[in-house]
Amino acid sequence: MVIVQVVSVSSLKGGVGKTTITLGLASAAYASGLRTLIIDMDPQSDVSAALASRSTHGYTVDTILRSPTNKNMKLAIAPSSWTAQGDSAVDVLMGSQASSQHDVPQPTRNDLWRLEEALVLIEKRYDLVLIDCPPSFNALTQTAWTASDAVAIVAEPGLFSVTAVHRTLNAIESIRQSMSPRIRTAGVIINRHRPDSREHQFRLGEMDQLFGDHILTPIIDETLMMQQATGAATPIHRWPGEPSQTLAQKFDLILRQILAPNRV
Ligand SMILES: Nc1ncnc2c1ncn2[C@@H]1O[C@H](COP(=O)(O)OP(=O)(O)O)[C@@H](O)[C@H]1O
Ligand SMILES: [Mg+2]
């Protein structure tokens, strides 16, 4: 029996490309026939805006965190606009600004288990769950991690990335010890790399030295294609042209590494 894998896509700051990477990985999952659910845990709800094919009439992650029932899960999940009607290959558990109400300073253990409870209800329907997390180590992120098998960290090759990756690795370790022994670090996905930037080459070298084992390859360059594909609600695997296929293959490789259970 195939067991669903739950992967959080996280970073400790915004704008590094969590949503973009989530969509790239979802596109790779879709292309390889994995039934995929994307959970939009970010109150900004960018992934829902980019992907959902219809409204869920106010049923969202917020509803689920209040009451993780089968009925609410059904109502809060929309098919993605990628998939043809009747084909449920990629679905979205809708995000909402209201989910920020669950970002309490001292979440209880029950609060942190809420999403895990909900995922048990749908685990037979999906092969992969990707969680687009908020850009900080808040209660929503902790809730997402508690429900996850693995956390993929997104980072840019920038000045503060080293510290951010360190802090994220430490935060994952603390959740592993306090809440969920099964959680592992899937690795660091480097995004928005500019091959012509000397600063980026320097930072890349620095990150490689410090986190070599954790860095998932290949790294993702800054390219307009990703933005265009997202804007057109098209998976990168279906975006025309050779460069997009090269990029699509990068996401295939990264997804494969994330799902390989023997990675640390
Ligand atoms: N590899 C990339 N190449 C070009 N633009 C990118 C890339 N990754 C992200 N972006 C752009 O950067 C902005 C922030 O990305 P986003 O995925 O929304 O970040 P986050 O979810 O971490 O806040 C968006 O406008 C997005 O289109
Ligand atoms: Mg985002």
Side-chain angles (χ1 to χ4, degrees), residues 249-264:
Q249 280 165 13
K250 289 186 179 179
F251 281 108
D252 292 339
L253 290 168
I254 293 174
L255 181 65
R256 214 172 296 158
Q257 288 170 75
I258 291 175
L259 298 183
N262 54 356
R263 260 200 79 87
V264 179

Side-chain angles (χ1 to χ4, degrees), residues 123-243:
E123 65 187 358
K124 291 205 175 67
R125 302 221 301 268
Y126 298 99
D127 304 306
L128 175 66
V129 176
L130 293 169
I131 310 180
D132 190 11
C133 290
S136 68
F137 182 57
N138 64 14
L140 287 167
T141 297
Q142 293 173 46
T143 303
W145 289 3
T146 300
S148 295
D149 299 290
V151 178
I153 304 167
V154 182
E156 288 174 334
L159 176 60
F160 302 112
S161 299
V162 168
T163 350
V165 171
H166 254 309
R167 280 173 50 217
T168 315
L169 290 171
N170 289 340
I172 295 168
E173 186 53 32
S174 88
I175 286 289
R176 208 165 67 76
Q177 285 178 13
S178 62
M179 290 303 298
S180 175
R182 82 173 200 266
I183 195 174
R184 66 192 159 84
T185 305
V188 181
I189 301 171
I190 298 187
N191 184 36
R192 305 192 75 161
H193 168 248
R194 289 197 304 275
D196 58 353
S197 156
R198 285 175 64 185
E199 161 76 8
H200 276 198
Q201 302 322 310
F202 175 77
R203 296 297 168 196
L204 213 53
E206 195 177 47
M207 290 175 87
D208 198 41
Q209 245 179 9
L210 285 164
F211 310 115
D213 289 350
H214 285 295
I215 291 175
L216 297 173
T217 50
I219 59 179
I220 304 290
D221 288 341
E222 178 139 285
T223 154
L224 257 184
M225 243 176 337
M226 282 304 299
Q227 292 174 357
Q228 289 167 336
T230 305
T234 303
I236 193 70
H237 286 67
R238 278 209 225 123
W239 197 250
E242 205 176 302

